[in-house]
Amino acid sequence: WGLGSPLCTGLLLSHRTVMASTRRLTPAQRAATAYHEAGHAVVAYYLGQKIGRKGVTIVPDANFDGQVSLPVSSRGRPDIERTGRMRLLAKKHAVVSLSGIEAQRRYRPSSVRNYHASQDYRNAADIIEYFCESSEELDPYLRLLHIRAKALIQSPAIWGSVERVAAALLERNRLTGADLRSLIHATT
């Protein structure tokens, strides 16, 4: 988490592609990706984070099937600043990271593979480990944050927003922050 780190300059949550980017997603894979990215985006919004310039997309690139761009308005270095404010930012980051796979799982459990969200789990662990003294503490902390992400996705208001955002992603492939806000407010 150096000066160019996601917490310092912005966050890009992505659903990792395991094959070359030239492959085409099947309709089922595309839908699962839309729900995964919608989960990240909607939970980020509900936790007070803004969607960045690149917005939300399910257009595959060389590394990912989809992405959510989340700029972090407050600069900080968790490796140096271990304050309550920084811990809260880290917890939000981790919950948003873990929400994508929970949305995908709720949408279609059979679409989840063991490699899905591996980058999301690493993102969550990387930031939370700054606030833990050992892996003995890190593992249960991450489990708790994963439970929190799952609970948010299970919330009727949030799930309704995820469904609306996923449908729009399937229709348009890409959404701006304004598009996302509009879709979320239409479901609340």
Side-chain angles (χ1 to χ4, degrees), residues 51 175-183:
I51 300 300
L175 300 172
T176 65
D179 294 334
L180 182 70
R181 281 188 301 280
S182 191
L183 289 162

Side-chain angles (χ1 to χ4, degrees), residues 145-181:
L145 294 172
H146 198 167
I147 290 167
R148 178 70 178 135
K150 184 176 181 177
L152 287 168
I153 291 298
Q154 295 299 323
S155 158
I158 290 177
W159 184 247
S161 294
V162 168
E163 290 181 311
R164 178 83 50 102
V165 169
L169 280 168
L170 288 168
E171 183 181 313
R172 299 183 238 170
N173 290 323
R174 196 178 300 274
L175 300 172
T176 65
D179 294 334
L180 182 70
R181 281 188 301 280

Side-chain angles (χ1 to χ4, degrees), residues 28 36 99 130 171 173:
H36 185 107
S99 295
Y130 284 111
E171 183 181 313
N173 290 323

